[in-house]
């Protein structure tokens, strides 16, 4: 005789209830960084669109930033913290290999003993986290989830590096996901191309550093390779996400790509033939590239500046180290 077990099921739909944000305490203008890379404010603005970036104090870490962003998102959502039963933090900036950032954040925001785990998908991490929160809730494995993208990239910057150091900032963005009467999160188009893993990532390992074989590991990138991949391949992913959600680019109220480079954002908009009515996230100008935090930070700012976007559709797409990518259409809270 076969004994039947009970299998969990959940609601048919999910949506994002609210966003939260936390940025590094310090605004760092281009002029503060140009000396070690023998550059200029004009060169950085022309290549990246960045005027200044936020960086955190020495005693502020990614956990602090993540906790602040998650707390704001929970407060704005109207969901009691104790009802949050999953916390997912996307980060490459955990100051320790273990414990996870997410477990500490869950405790700090009052969601203890929520399931908690970190995701390392670099600049695509937030999109990955939203995909997982959506699936967990619809499968009945969680009721409400907090997804956080949090980075303190100033800890892994070589100020003399011309490939990426001047791009990077510190911050965290968060979203509360829960059940919905309508489809608020479209299918996620995601994947990776590990064959190009050397195009962007850390230049050394912690073991090499420990053994005195290399200096402190920092981020590096092959700029032209990443630019071409982002512009041509990620536009295809963006179109696939629109098709999977059953909408056209003209249906969008907002477009929020990973804040990698203003030129990439502009080329994205051109390739997707976005109408002038679509508001585009350009948080990179004053926040910098914050990897996993960039999409929720940019979305949070758009909703602050354009409250009329509430209820509209936004295409979010992340892409980054390991050439990992993820995109989905969401209904803005």
């Amino acid at each position: 005789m076969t004994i039947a077990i009970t299998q969990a099921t959940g609601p048919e739909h999910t949506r994002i209830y609210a966003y939260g944000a936390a940025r590094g305490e310090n605004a760092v203008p281009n002029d503060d960084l140009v000396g070690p890379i023998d550059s200029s404010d004009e060169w950085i603005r022309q290549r990246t669109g960045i005027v200044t970036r936020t960086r955190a104090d020495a005693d502020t870490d990614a956990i602090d930033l993540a906790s602040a962003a998650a707390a704001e998102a929970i407060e704005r959502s109207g969901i009691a913290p104790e009802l949050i039963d999953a916390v997912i933090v996307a980060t490459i900036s955990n100051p320790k290999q273990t414990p996870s950032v997410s477990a500490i954040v869950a405790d700090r925001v009052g969601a203890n003993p929520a399931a908690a785990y970190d995701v390392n998908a670099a600049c695509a991490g937030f999109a990955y986290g939203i995909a997982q929160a959506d699936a967990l809730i619809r499968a009945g494995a969680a009721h409400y989830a907090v997804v956080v993208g949090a980075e303190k990239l100033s800890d892994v910057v070589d100020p003399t590096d011309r490939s990426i150091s001047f791009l990077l900032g510190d911050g965290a963005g968060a979203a509360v996901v829960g059940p919905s009467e309508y489809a608020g999160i479209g299918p996620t188009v995601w994947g990776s191309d590990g064959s190009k893993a050397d195009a962007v990532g850390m230049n050394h390992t912690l073991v090499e550093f420990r053994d005195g074989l290399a200096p402190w590991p920092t981020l590096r990138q092959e700029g032209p390779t990443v630019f071409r991949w982002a512009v041509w391949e990620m536009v295809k992913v963006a179109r696939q996400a629109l098709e999977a959600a059953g909408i056209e680019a003209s249906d969008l109220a907002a477009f929020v790509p990973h804040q990698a480079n203003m030129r990439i954002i502009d080329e994205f908009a051109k390739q997707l033939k976005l109408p002038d009515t679509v508001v585009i996230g350009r948080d990179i100008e004053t926040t910098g590239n914050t990897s996993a935090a960039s999409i929720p930070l940019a979305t949070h700012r758009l909703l602050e500046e354009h409250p009329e976007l509430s209820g509209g559709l936004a295409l979010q797409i992340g892409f980054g180290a390991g050439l990992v990518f993820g995109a989905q259409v969401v209904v803005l809270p």
Side-chain angles (χ1 to χ4, degrees):
M1 174 178 140
T2 302
I3 300 174
I5 63 172
T6 299
Q7 192 166 26
T9 58
E12 183 178 2
H13 303 302
T14 65
R15 64 182 174 89
I16 294 173
Y17 286 37
Y19 286 87
R23 289 176 170 80
E25 297 93 340
N26 307 297
V28 181
N30 293 334
D31 284 337
D32 286 5
L33 305 179
V34 296
I37 60 173
D38 190 23
S39 184
S40 67
D41 170 64
E42 181 183 6
W43 183 83
I44 293 176
R45 290 188 189 218
Q46 288 180 347
R47 289 179 63 87
T48 70
I50 298 174
V51 176
T52 185
R53 74 282 296 137
T54 60
R55 289 189 174 172
D57 290 340
D59 58 356
T60 298
D61 60 23
I63 302 171
D64 299 322
L65 294 167
S67 299
E72 183 189 1
I74 293 170
E75 181 180 2
R76 289 187 168 203
S77 74
I79 303 301
E82 59 269 21
L83 297 180
I84 304 292
D85 47 9
V87 177
I88 305 168
V89 176
T91 186
I92 61 170
S93 307
N94 190 345
K96 298 179 180 178
Q97 295 294 98
T98 191
S100 68
V101 172
S102 54
I104 299 171
V105 170
D107 182 60
R108 288 188 182 181
V109 300
N112 201 343
Y117 62 95
D118 292 356
V119 174
N120 184 341
C123 309
F126 184 76
Y128 270 47
I130 292 295
Q132 292 177 48
D134 167 55
L136 288 170
I137 293 168
R138 289 193 292 117
H143 297 91
Y144 299 95
V146 175
V147 178
V148 187
E151 305 289 9
K152 189 184 180 187
L153 298 177
S154 58
D155 284 343
V156 288
V157 163
D158 174 359
T160 68
D161 168 57
R162 288 176 61 91
S163 75
I164 199 171
S165 63
F166 53 89
L167 290 167
L168 304 178
D170 302 334
V176 172
V177 180
S180 173
E181 295 180 354
Y182 57 87
I185 299 174
T188 297
V189 177
W190 55 354
S192 66
D193 182 3
S195 69
K196 297 183 178 67
D198 291 339
V200 56
M202 306 301 288
N203 62 343
H204 297 293
T205 69
L206 288 174
V207 172
E208 290 171 333
F209 174 69
R210 179 199 65 190
D211 294 344
L213 302 176
W216 176 250
T218 56
L219 281 167
R220 294 290 199 279
Q221 73 170 347
E222 296 175 7
T225 300
V226 174
F227 185 91
R228 287 192 298 270
W229 175 77
V231 168
W232 301 113
E233 297 304 319
M234 291 305 96
V235 167
K236 298 175 186 176
V237 172
R239 291 188 181 122
Q240 289 170 18
L242 290 172
E243 182 179 357
I247 69 167
E248 304 286 340
S250 57
D251 297 321
L252 293 172
F255 175 50
V256 191
H258 164 51
Q259 304 291 292
N261 181 305
M262 196 73 81
R263 291 191 301 159
I264 292 176
I265 294 171
D266 290 340
E267 189 61 31
F268 256 146
K270 178 181 176 182
Q271 293 290 328
L272 290 173
K273 297 181 171 60
L274 296 179
D276 293 340
T277 55
V278 177
V279 181
I280 300 173
R282 300 181 186 278
D283 191 49
I284 189 171
E285 182 177 14
T286 55
T287 301
N289 178 343
T290 53
S291 188
S294 77
I295 289 175
L297 282 175
T299 306
H300 181 276
R301 174 159 282 170
L302 279 188
L303 289 170
E304 291 286 293
E305 296 177 348
H306 300 277
E308 71 277 6
L309 294 175
S310 178
L313 298 175
L315 171 60
Q316 301 179 333
I317 178 168
F319 48 89
L323 299 204
V324 176
F325 57 86
Q328 65 257 130
V329 174
V330 302
V331 177
L332 295 169

